Amino acid sequence: MADTKLRIGILGASGYSGGELVRLLLGHAGVEIVLLTADRKAGKHVGEIFPHLAGQGLPFLIALDEVEWSGLDLDIVFCALPHGTTQEIVAGLLHATGHGLVDELVVEERGDLIAALKSDVRVFDLSADFRLDDVATYAEWYGHAHLAPDLQTEATYGLSEFARDRIRASRLISCPGCYPTAALLPLLPLVEAGQVDASDIVIDSKSGVTGAGRAAKEEMLFGEVAEGIHVYGIARHRHAPEIEQELTRAAGHAVTVSFTPHLMPMNRGILSTVYVRLVNGATAGDLRATLLSRYADEPFVAVVPEGLAPSTRHVRGSNHCLIGVFEDRVAGRAILVSVLDNLIKGAAGQEVQNMNIACGLPETQGLGQLPLFP
Amino acid sequence: MADTKLRIGILGASGYSGGELVRLLLGHAGVEIVLLTADRKAGKHVGEIFPHLAGQGLPFLIALDEVEWSGLDLDIVFCALPHGTTQEIVAGLLHATGHGLVDELVVEERGDLIAALKSDVRVFDLSADFRLDDVATYAEWYGHAHLAPDLQTEATYGLSEFARDRIRASRLISCPGCYPTAALLPLLPLVEAGQVDASDIVIDSKSGVTGAGRAAKEEMLFGEVAEGIHVYGIARHRHAPEIEQELTRAAGHAVTVSFTPHLMPMNRGILSTVYVRLVNGATAGDLRATLLSRYADEPFVAVVPEGLAPSTRHVRGSNHCLIGVFEDRVAGRAILVSVLDNLIKGAAGQEVQNMNIACGLPETQGLGQLPLFP
Amino acid sequence: MADTKLRIGILGASGYSGGELVRLLLGHAGVEIVLLTADRKAGKHVGEIFPHLAGQGLPFLIALDEVEWSGLDLDIVFCALPHGTTQEIVAGLLHATGHGLVDELVVEERGDLIAALKSDVRVFDLSADFRLDDVATYAEWYGHAHLAPDLQTEATYGLSEFARDRIRASRLISCPGCYPTAALLPLLPLVEAGQVDASDIVIDSKSGVTGAGRAAKEEMLFGEVAEGIHVYGIARHRHAPEIEQELTRAAGHAVTVSFTPHLMPMNRGILSTVYVRLVNGATAGDLRATLLSRYADEPFVAVVPEGLAPSTRHVRGSNHCLIGVFEDRVAGRAILVSVLDNLIKGAAGQEVQNMNIACGLPETQGLGQLPLFP
Amino acid sequence: MADTKLRIGILGASGYSGGELVRLLLGHAGVEIVLLTADRKAGKHVGEIFPHLAGQGLPFLIALDEVEWSGLDLDIVFCALPHGTTQEIVAGLLHATGHGLVDELVVEERGDLIAALKSDVRVFDLSADFRLDDVATYAEWYGHAHLAPDLQTEATYGLSEFARDRIRASRLISCPGCYPTAALLPLLPLVEAGQVDASDIVIDSKSGVTGAGRAAKEEMLFGEVAEGIHVYGIARHRHAPEIEQELTRAAGHAVTVSFTPHLMPMNRGILSTVYVRLVNGATAGDLRATLLSRYADEPFVAVVPEGLAPSTRHVRGSNHCLIGVFEDRVAGRAILVSVLDNLIKGAAGQEVQNMNIACGLPETQGLGQLPLFP
């Protein structure tokens, strides 16, 4: 039955998200990794850059430009490339020939690629390149024009629990950012239910360092991060427009949120504390009921029992998101707390979940790991 | 000139705040430590429980009940005892004979103490026992009647920068909690100035572990804290009424706040992110101007330059509090961020500062240490 | 086929090793957990003490004395009880009626237990109670007479890779300590091969905190452990006699080692640096060859490629042990480095491996998790 | 009296050692910082790169090539430059005109410098460029010929407690490495006393990350360091020849040591565990007596009481070195443990101590900070 396994390529396999993808897919019986690219680490074996994944029979890392697409016979491509470099690549992967800036590039430079890839290849992208529906918003936040605007219209914002049908129908699934996933899972059902005021939402998020990737930057050195916490990107973090896009969709009117990320001295995990104003007579208990009902059958999202407070250490290493609901002591307000592992439910795990959905596999396949505590 | 040094006793010297007091006072040329008590560790030398303070010629630790008060000739007593045990002790220290529950205790059991202490001894208390003006509020939050209600009327809430005159006039100075200090320093000037809506304040605080003390509790083990963050005491943390008491005083009307503490995997530091709604036409720039003006001459409080974000690691080991002011992307809102070392400006350092104020010493004496980074 | 699953009881399920056992066994298709005991946390659900294991359909925790053994029909009992309390329990579990101190206890107090348990129940013990063959050595190091000396003669020291036959034949398998496992895996083959001088071995070990268990002790608080390292138990750590017992067996003569443990600010992992003197003309290359050959077919032990240095972070969360071999710059000496996860290969994982061996299951079943990095 | 302060320049002020120098010297009443250089961060204020040092009236950072030496009137230059770039600079600073490769450089390019500097300027170098007496050994370990061999003959290896006379007489004091300081302080007195076998020494060292500097390298990211430990540079770390140079001097014959460094998840601190063989009838007690006697009058080195084990957290932030002495359970062996703060006694603090010695100031001036715990 080996020949029925989905053939997987991972572009950008040497970062933290790429490493998690490899780890998860090695434990997934329905797939086979046949391509790993990494430009700066081309020529190395996975065991050199991820010693914890040594000895698993993986292909060597090659540079993206050196890939011989012909014969790879890929069913699935995961893109874990840096933001801003993905649009052109994905356009090539998907034979995009629309009216964007990449048209000529695609035609001229990626001809072999187009010829080699299956027509039904699916792309799961972990970058931010295809998360914003509105290419003008993209340009505003990312500082350059979108390179594949036509393709953007095809892209699905893959918050798994809210996009299953679209994911099944799409050949380009964009993984939500880690902060948006943590914020949207508690908020979307409540905004949809009209229980909270979408115009008065404060999202205070605390993240471990791996969300910033594996690039060597002074501010991410152990010496700069350990034994401290700091705030960053206040009122201008690129995950804010994603959160607002989805809340706007749910609310039916334009939503702007206060969103403040903090960097914590830990490797994995996001905890978001969300302050909301209750409307339409809703109580904190009503919010809890809405969330319990909404997620009752979800394998990866759970509301913790009353009185317990979610901790990132209870989801570390898993695809779980836990949500707590609390009555605020300020009348008419409530507090939501969500936790997840930013590299899994906030990145690689959610894309594997999306792959399972898209390809008709059991949604939990390859994602059964319980959290690792402590 | 040695005989002109203030003679200091520290009650409860074996915890983290007590250790910091000892450390700071060892570097203070105007004082001499003559008494250290610690019940569970009585009989030990400081070097056994705080090896970093060995070799400094300190007295041995003795049990509180074993103290021979006569002859100690104390000028100053610092209380770093657990919450709830301090009221009776302080009443005894201060000859309190009011109408509280401790009257008889004081008369009968503390007679020697009363006789032995100077009539002008001052008490600086680091516990929560004398922080709340209203003894009914105390009883509500701490679960038992206040044991020294008359003495409470004498106590000064010692947020140094806002209480100098009262500190000088008082013989009982209560140190604000670490969270309240971090929240009030950015908020008080703005509430006083009427620039923010006191009824719409969200305070999201992140603290290192030493704020929870040195008691052996499972939930404070390294294995339970490292590599994770969790929320606790949502809407029911005992520091909320302190914050509200002082904001109410500043606002002139009753204030209730959303206050949510989080436990972080670090030893020292609190970062508070405060979300406010602007009123009376104020802008974020106005808030910055107010804070810059208010703290221009303060040695320990500073507003960081625009664009920089405060980090706890830049105040670690110092008595500094840094404040940042940011425009929110939600119209009409602003975000304040404060950082301090919970054991210093949030506890021992602030009380040394208060002692300096009360005793007419230079306010910065013994508090000159620059932060230790990294 | 559900009725063919091995029925498992875990005694002492609320500590870190117990939690890992639960986690690993939940991922093991051949077993079913039917009993969880925990004295101090009796009556609680696993989800309260290990929120990461909530929602898995596990039984409630009960006190050991409250267990109704009849009807449990246990095939396997894992003991993760504190040292010193296990001998009596295990004697009861195994109907031991030898000449030890527990005889009467067993006969009188454990009659129901004896009647209720299957005659072929197997016990896998994670404590130190049955690790030392010589009960006099036990008494010397543990401060009291062995309570079940006859049973000790039946116990197997379960270093999986060196004891498979004995494990299969035994009904009482004692899991080696975490430090001994890390020391013996690199050393045993070399001592057996006569390539290193067994009388000149220095073992310098560094461990994460979970090896010390989950008991609330001041010295294990985050504040006492983070941002520092200290040495402890120099020349008197209880794992030394275990290491010496097995090296003595391999060398054929009495062996004493220098063994020094250190406590590190991390949750999981042991790294042992072992300094050896080469004999019989052996080189560091010969040592490498011996280890490569010895572990070529082992699923959980590997020698890292020349030039790479093992790191605990590359085994975290897995049952792996990695070994490095290095030529020392002092002529005639070599350095070995081993790493493992103290809670898995150093405890729960090794006992699951032993259970698989003993019960004829695939040795790697339930132990397939790749390390979690970062 | 301000004009009597020593005028200080710090070259390479933006790294961790440079930052510590600035911090310590700001607390030193006898000096004034008048020059700070940093090439990559030229033009910035210290407050931008070290926010904890903001507001202290320090000069802006300038590039080394942009310094206007004339008028600075420097008494002291501290070099905290990267290894390998210092020899030429120091040669210029000291008018060196010997027979090394830098002669022409000095004459041609550094003419202004030579003219501008006082003839009696002293240089304190924190790099490794002048630590090895033998320029051939330097070339072997550092991969290039020494650029200032004549100047090397003038350099003093500034292990403060062992080189006071030489330090006073020298204009170029080279600060020992952090590992060598931690190893030599316990070993030198014992080797000098002939109590340990200098040919059988194992030094197992564990260091925090700041010893590796502030350069942005992938392997020093928080994600690569936290929650793990690894060994590196086995048998080939550049601090080994320094240790051997000084032990050879003390022993009177060539000494080679086993030296193995490990990287720990903490910011500051080195703990070295040193395994020695006793000779000439010495016991562990004799070693303790020798060290107690040797360091009885030293302000910064202490032997901890019997039974206590040194911890890095008890020296953090101070210039202290603590040493423990333990009997090994292997007959004829003993174990020494030393701890220090690698950035202070292992770098900046030791050089300030050396400056005090060289310039006739009280040796402890500016170094009185007690350790910061926790």
Side-chain angles (χ1 to χ4, degrees):
Chain A
M1 295 277 289
D3 55 344
T4 67
K5 290 187 177 180
L6 293 170
R7 296 175 62 81
I8 307 272
I10 300 176
L11 312 188
S14 64
Y16 292 136
S17 295
E20 278 297 88
L21 269 175
V22 173
R23 185 180 67 85
L24 293 173
L25 294 173
L26 281 170
H28 191 302
V31 307
E32 182 180 14
I33 297 173
V34 298
L35 170 68
L36 295 173
T37 83
D39 281 4
R40 281 182 307 133
K41 308 220 167 144
K44 299 201 174 185
H45 188 269
V46 169
E48 287 180 82
I49 60 160
F50 288 127
H52 67 302
L53 302 177
Q56 303 293 325
L58 290 162
F60 276 70
L61 295 162
I62 56 178
L64 192 54
D65 285 344
E66 306 292 321
V67 177
E68 292 280 354
W69 298 96
S70 169
L72 282 176
D73 200 26
L74 295 175
D75 297 294
I76 303 282
V77 177
F78 286 98
C79 285
L81 299 163
H83 297 324
T85 65
T86 308
Q87 287 164 356
E88 181 199 342
I89 303 297
V90 172
L93 290 171
L94 294 177
H95 316 201
T97 54
H99 306 293
L101 300 178
V102 295
D103 281 8
E104 292 164 56
L105 292 167
V106 171
V107 171
E108 291 181 23
E109 299 182 14
R110 304 283 172 187
D112 289 351
L113 174 57
I114 292 174
L117 283 172
K118 289 182 176 178
S119 61
D120 60 350
V121 71
R122 283 180 195 258
V123 174
F124 296 86
D125 182 26
L126 280 87
S127 83
D129 280 17
F130 291 99
R131 289 178 188 158
L132 297 177
D133 295 344
D134 180 357
V135 294
T137 304
Y138 178 88
E140 176 194 341
W141 282 84
Y142 290 88
H144 65 90
H146 198 294
L147 297 175
D150 282 18
L151 200 52
Q152 180 63 53
T153 64
E154 282 195 47
T156 292
Y157 189 79
L159 187 66
S160 313
E161 287 74 12
F162 290 82
R164 287 190 177 97
D165 287 345
R166 277 175 284 144
I167 288 168
R168 281 189 201 99
S170 177
R171 58 178 187 158
L172 172 54
I173 293 96
S174 177
C175 185
C178 46
Y179 285 124
T181 300
L184 294 170
L185 288 173
L187 277 171
L188 280 181
L190 306 178
V191 170
E192 288 175 350
Q195 294 179 314
V196 302
D197 179 353
S199 69
D200 191 354
I201 293 173
V202 170
I203 303 166
D204 188 282
S205 297
K206 303 88 177 170
S207 175
V209 299
T210 50
R214 205 182 191 184
K217 298 176 189 165
E218 182 183 295
E219 67 265 32
M220 301 308 294
L221 294 175
F222 186 92
E224 308 290 316
V225 174
E227 261 291 304
I229 179 174
H230 66 270
V231 63
Y232 67 102
I234 302 181
R236 53 183 174 76
H237 191 281
R238 289 170 169 178
H239 284 180
E242 271 184 62
I243 297 171
E244 293 169 355
Q245 165 181 289
E246 299 303 309
L247 291 179
T248 293
R249 197 194 315 263
H253 59 81
V255 171
T256 307
V257 296
S258 290
F259 167 62
T260 308
H262 301 76
L263 190 74
M264 304 248 317
M266 64 186 197
N267 281 325
R268 289 167 179 256
I270 286 180
L271 182 147
S272 285
T273 314
V274 183
Y275 300 86
V276 293
R277 188 173 297 281
L278 302 164
V279 290
N280 295 323
T283 65
D286 295 336
L287 270 52
R288 169 178 292 274
T290 297
L291 291 170
L292 276 170
S293 166
R294 176 63 182 81
Y295 293 122
D297 298 324
E298 287 294 346
F300 297 121
V301 185
V303 180
V304 299
E306 207 155 352
L308 295 189
S311 164
T312 60
R313 57 184 69 77
H314 298 141
V315 295
R316 182 168 62 230
S318 80
N319 199 46
H320 301 172
C321 175
L322 299 179
I323 301 174
V325 183
F326 304 88
E327 191 177 3
D328 197 350
R329 63 192 306 266
V330 177
R333 300 190 63 93
I335 301 172
L336 311 166
V337 180
S338 65
V339 292
L340 51 74
D341 184 322
N342 59 298
L343 289 179
I344 308 189
K345 185 58 181 167
Q350 183 151 244
E351 279 296 58
V352 171
Q353 184 180 357
N354 289 342
M355 177 193 76
N356 287 337
I357 294 169
C359 301
L361 300 169
E363 189 165 329
T364 60
Q365 191 168 7
L367 297 170
Q369 281 202 0
L370 291 169
L372 193 70
F373 168 82
Chain B
M1 295 278 288
D3 57 343
T4 68
K5 288 187 177 179
L6 293 170
R7 295 174 64 78
I8 308 272
I10 300 176
L11 311 188
S14 63
Y16 292 137
S17 295
E20 277 299 88
L21 269 174
V22 174
R23 185 180 68 86
L24 293 172
L25 294 172
L26 282 170
H28 190 300
V31 306
E32 181 180 13
I33 297 173
V34 297
L35 170 67
L36 295 174
T37 82
D39 282 3
R40 281 181 306 135
K41 309 219 168 146
K44 300 200 174 185
H45 188 270
V46 169
E48 286 180 82
I49 59 160
F50 288 126
H52 68 301
L53 302 177
Q56 303 292 324
L58 290 163
F60 276 70
L61 295 163
I62 55 178
L64 191 55
D65 285 343
E66 306 290 322
V67 178
E68 291 279 356
W69 297 97
S70 168
L72 282 176
D73 202 27
L74 295 175
D75 297 294
I76 303 282
V77 177
F78 285 98
C79 286
L81 298 164
H83 296 325
T85 66
T86 308
Q87 287 164 355
E88 180 199 343
I89 304 296
V90 172
L93 290 170
L94 293 177
H95 314 203
T97 54
H99 306 292
L101 300 178
V102 295
D103 281 9
E104 293 163 55
L105 291 167
V106 169
V107 170
E108 292 179 22
E109 299 181 12
R110 303 285 171 187
D112 290 352
L113 175 57
I114 291 175
L117 284 171
K118 290 181 175 178
S119 60
D120 61 348
V121 71
R122 283 180 196 259
V123 174
F124 296 85
D125 182 25
L126 280 87
S127 83
D129 280 18
F130 291 98
R131 289 178 189 158
L132 297 177
D133 296 342
D134 181 355
V135 294
T137 304
Y138 178 87
E140 174 193 341
W141 283 83
Y142 290 88
H144 64 91
H146 198 293
L147 297 174
D150 282 18
L151 200 52
Q152 180 64 54
T153 63
E154 283 196 47
T156 291
Y157 189 79
L159 187 65
S160 314
E161 287 74 11
F162 289 82
R164 287 190 178 97
D165 289 344
R166 278 175 284 145
I167 288 168
R168 281 189 202 100
S170 177
R171 59 177 186 156
L172 172 53
I173 292 95
S174 177
C175 184
C178 47
Y179 285 123
T181 300
L184 294 170
L185 287 173
L187 277 172
L188 280 180
L190 306 179
V191 170
E192 287 174 351
Q195 292 178 314
V196 302
D197 180 352
S199 69
D200 191 355
I201 294 174
V202 170
I203 303 166
D204 188 284
S205 297
K206 302 89 177 171
S207 175
V209 299
T210 52
R214 206 183 190 185
K217 298 175 189 165
E218 182 183 296
E219 66 264 32
M220 301 308 294
L221 294 175
F222 186 93
E224 308 290 316
V225 174
E227 262 292 302
I229 180 174
H230 66 271
V231 63
Y232 68 103
I234 303 181
R236 55 184 173 77
H237 192 280
R238 289 170 167 176
H239 284 182
E242 273 186 59
I243 298 171
E244 294 169 356
Q245 166 181 289
E246 299 304 306
L247 292 180
T248 293
R249 197 193 315 264
H253 59 80
V255 171
T256 307
V257 296
S258 291
F259 167 61
T260 309
H262 301 75
L263 189 76
M264 304 248 316
M266 64 186 198
N267 280 325
R268 289 166 179 258
I270 286 181
L271 182 147
S272 285
T273 314
V274 183
Y275 300 87
V276 293
R277 188 172 298 280
L278 302 164
V279 289
N280 296 323
T283 66
D286 296 335
L287 271 51
R288 167 176 294 274
T290 296
L291 291 171
L292 276 169
S293 167
R294 174 63 182 81
Y295 294 121
D297 298 325
E298 288 294 345
F300 296 121
V301 185
V303 180
V304 300
E306 207 155 354
L308 294 190
S311 164
T312 60
R313 57 184 68 78
H314 299 142
V315 295
R316 184 169 59 230
S318 79
N319 199 46
H320 301 172
C321 175
L322 300 179
I323 302 173
V325 183
F326 304 88
E327 191 178 4
D328 197 351
R329 61 193 308 264
V330 177
R333 300 189 63 94
I335 301 172
L336 311 166
V337 180
S338 65
V339 292
L340 51 75
D341 184 323
N342 57 299
L343 289 180
I344 307 186
K345 185 59 179 169
Q350 183 150 248
E351 278 297 60
V352 171
Q353 185 179 356
N354 288 342
M355 178 193 75
N356 288 337
I357 293 168
C359 300
L361 300 169
E363 189 165 331
T364 60
Q365 192 167 4
L367 297 170
Q369 281 202 0
L370 291 170
L372 191 70
F373 168 84
Chain C
M1 296 279 288
D3 56 343
T4 67
K5 288 187 177 179
L6 293 170
R7 294 175 65 79
I8 307 274
I10 300 178
L11 311 188
S14 64
Y16 292 137
S17 296
E20 278 298 87
L21 269 174
V22 173
R23 185 180 67 86
L24 293 172
L25 293 173
L26 281 169
H28 190 302
V31 306
E32 182 181 13
I33 297 174
V34 296
L35 170 67
L36 295 173
T37 83
D39 281 4
R40 280 182 306 135
K41 309 219 168 147
K44 300 200 173 184
H45 189 270
V46 169
E48 286 181 82
I49 60 161
F50 288 126
H52 67 301
L53 302 177
Q56 303 293 323
L58 290 163
F60 276 70
L61 295 163
I62 56 177
L64 190 55
D65 285 343
E66 306 291 321
V67 177
E68 292 278 356
W69 298 97
S70 170
L72 282 176
D73 202 27
L74 296 175
D75 297 295
I76 303 281
V77 176
F78 286 98
C79 285
L81 299 164
H83 296 324
T85 65
T86 309
Q87 287 163 356
E88 181 198 341
I89 304 296
V90 172
L93 290 171
L94 293 177
H95 316 202
T97 54
H99 306 293
L101 300 178
V102 295
D103 280 8
E104 292 162 57
L105 292 168
V106 169
V107 171
E108 293 179 21
E109 300 181 12
R110 302 285 172 188
D112 289 352
L113 174 57
I114 292 175
L117 284 171
K118 288 182 176 177
S119 61
D120 61 348
V121 70
R122 283 179 196 259
V123 174
F124 296 86
D125 182 27
L126 281 86
S127 84
D129 280 16
F130 291 99
R131 288 178 189 158
L132 297 177
D133 296 343
D134 182 357
V135 294
T137 303
Y138 178 87
E140 176 194 341
W141 283 83
Y142 289 88
H144 65 88
H146 198 293
L147 297 174
D150 282 16
L151 200 53
Q152 180 64 53
T153 63
E154 281 194 48
T156 291
Y157 189 80
L159 187 65
S160 313
E161 287 75 12
F162 289 82
R164 288 191 177 97
D165 288 346
R166 276 176 285 146
I167 289 167
R168 281 188 202 101
S170 178
R171 58 179 187 155
L172 171 52
I173 292 95
S174 177
C175 185
C178 47
Y179 285 124
T181 300
L184 293 170
L185 287 173
L187 277 172
L188 278 181
L190 307 178
V191 170
E192 286 175 350
Q195 293 179 316
V196 302
D197 180 353
S199 68
D200 192 355
I201 293 173
V202 170
I203 302 166
D204 189 283
S205 296
K206 301 89 177 170
S207 176
V209 300
T210 50
R214 206 181 190 186
K217 299 176 188 164
E218 181 183 297
E219 67 263 32
M220 302 308 295
L221 293 175
F222 186 92
E224 309 289 316
V225 174
E227 260 293 302
I229 179 174
H230 67 271
V231 62
Y232 68 102
I234 303 182
R236 54 184 173 78
H237 192 281
R238 288 170 167 177
H239 283 180
E242 272 185 62
I243 298 171
E244 294 169 356
Q245 165 181 291
E246 299 303 307
L247 291 180
T248 293
R249 198 194 313 266
H253 59 80
V255 171
T256 307
V257 296
S258 291
F259 167 61
T260 308
H262 301 75
L263 189 76
M264 303 249 318
M266 63 185 197
N267 281 325
R268 290 166 179 256
I270 285 181
L271 183 147
S272 285
T273 315
V274 183
Y275 300 87
V276 293
R277 188 171 297 281
L278 302 164
V279 290
N280 296 323
T283 65
D286 296 335
L287 269 53
R288 169 177 291 276
T290 296
L291 292 170
L292 276 169
S293 167
R294 174 63 181 81
Y295 293 121
D297 297 325
E298 288 293 344
F300 297 121
V301 186
V303 180
V304 300
E306 209 154 352
L308 294 190
S311 164
T312 60
R313 58 184 67 76
H314 298 142
V315 296
R316 183 170 58 230
S318 79
N319 199 45
H320 300 172
C321 175
L322 299 179
I323 302 174
V325 184
F326 304 89
E327 193 177 2
D328 197 349
R329 62 192 306 263
V330 177
R333 300 189 63 94
I335 301 171
L336 311 166
V337 179
S338 65
V339 292
L340 51 74
D341 184 321
N342 57 299
L343 288 180
I344 308 187
K345 185 58 181 169
Q350 183 151 246
E351 280 295 60
V352 171
Q353 186 180 355
N354 289 341
M355 177 193 74
N356 288 338
I357 293 170
C359 301
L361 300 168
E363 189 164 331
T364 58
Q365 191 168 5
L367 297 169
Q369 281 202 359
L370 291 170
L372 192 71
F373 168 83
Chain D
M1 295 277 287
D3 57 344
T4 68
K5 288 188 177 180
L6 293 170
R7 294 175 64 79
I8 308 273
I10 300 176
L11 312 188
S14 63
Y16 293 135
S17 296
E20 277 298 88
L21 269 174
V22 174
R23 186 179 67 86
L24 294 173
L25 294 172
L26 281 169
H28 191 301
V31 307
E32 183 180 13
I33 298 172
V34 298
L35 170 66
L36 295 174
T37 82
D39 282 4
R40 280 181 306 135
K41 310 220 167 145
K44 300 201 173 187
H45 188 269
V46 169
E48 286 180 82
I49 60 160
F50 289 126
H52 67 302
L53 302 177
Q56 303 293 325
L58 290 163
F60 275 70
L61 295 163
I62 55 177
L64 191 55
D65 285 343
E66 306 291 323
V67 177
E68 292 279 355
W69 298 97
S70 169
L72 283 176
D73 202 27
L74 295 175
D75 298 294
I76 303 282
V77 176
F78 286 97
C79 285
L81 298 164
H83 297 325
T85 65
T86 309
Q87 287 164 356
E88 180 199 343
I89 304 296
V90 172
L93 290 170
L94 293 177
H95 316 201
T97 55
H99 306 292
L101 300 178
V102 296
D103 281 8
E104 292 164 56
L105 292 167
V106 170
V107 171
E108 293 181 23
E109 300 181 13
R110 304 285 173 186
D112 289 351
L113 173 58
I114 292 175
L117 284 170
K118 290 180 175 178
S119 62
D120 61 350
V121 71
R122 283 180 196 259
V123 173
F124 296 85
D125 182 26
L126 280 86
S127 84
D129 281 17
F130 290 100
R131 289 179 189 158
L132 297 177
D133 296 344
D134 181 357
V135 295
T137 304
Y138 177 87
E140 175 194 341
W141 283 83
Y142 290 88
H144 64 91
H146 198 293
L147 296 175
D150 282 17
L151 200 52
Q152 180 63 54
T153 64
E154 282 195 47
T156 290
Y157 188 80
L159 187 66
S160 313
E161 287 75 11
F162 290 82
R164 288 190 177 96
D165 287 346
R166 277 175 285 146
I167 288 168
R168 282 187 201 99
S170 178
R171 59 178 186 155
L172 171 53
I173 292 94
S174 177
C175 184
C178 46
Y179 285 124
T181 299
L184 293 170
L185 288 173
L187 277 171
L188 279 181
L190 307 179
V191 170
E192 287 174 351
Q195 293 180 314
V196 302
D197 180 353
S199 69
D200 191 356
I201 293 173
V202 170
I203 303 166
D204 188 283
S205 297
K206 302 88 178 171
S207 176
V209 299
T210 51
R214 205 182 191 184
K217 299 175 189 165
E218 182 183 295
E219 68 264 31
M220 301 308 294
L221 293 175
F222 186 92
E224 309 289 316
V225 174
E227 260 292 303
I229 180 175
H230 66 270
V231 62
Y232 68 102
I234 302 181
R236 55 186 173 74
H237 192 279
R238 287 169 169 178
H239 283 180
E242 271 186 61
I243 297 172
E244 294 170 354
Q245 166 180 289
E246 299 303 308
L247 291 180
T248 293
R249 196 193 316 263
H253 60 81
V255 171
T256 307
V257 296
S258 291
F259 167 61
T260 308
H262 302 75
L263 189 74
M264 303 250 315
M266 63 187 198
N267 280 325
R268 288 165 179 257
I270 285 181
L271 182 147
S272 284
T273 313
V274 183
Y275 300 87
V276 293
R277 188 172 296 280
L278 302 164
V279 290
N280 296 323
T283 66
D286 296 335
L287 270 52
R288 170 177 291 274
T290 296
L291 291 170
L292 276 170
S293 167
R294 175 64 182 81
Y295 293 121
D297 298 324
E298 288 293 344
F300 296 122
V301 185
V303 180
V304 300
E306 207 154 353
L308 294 190
S311 163
T312 59
R313 58 183 69 76
H314 298 141
V315 295
R316 182 170 59 231
S318 79
N319 199 44
H320 300 173
C321 175
L322 299 179
I323 301 175
V325 183
F326 304 88
E327 192 178 1
D328 198 349
R329 61 192 310 263
V330 176
R333 300 190 64 94
I335 301 172
L336 311 166
V337 179
S338 65
V339 292
L340 51 73
D341 185 323
N342 57 298
L343 288 179
I344 307 188
K345 185 59 180 168
Q350 184 151 245
E351 279 297 59
V352 171
Q353 185 180 356
N354 288 342
M355 178 192 76
N356 287 338
I357 293 169
C359 300
L361 300 169
E363 189 165 329
T364 59
Q365 192 168 5
L367 297 169
Q369 281 202 358
L370 291 170
L372 192 70
F373 168 83

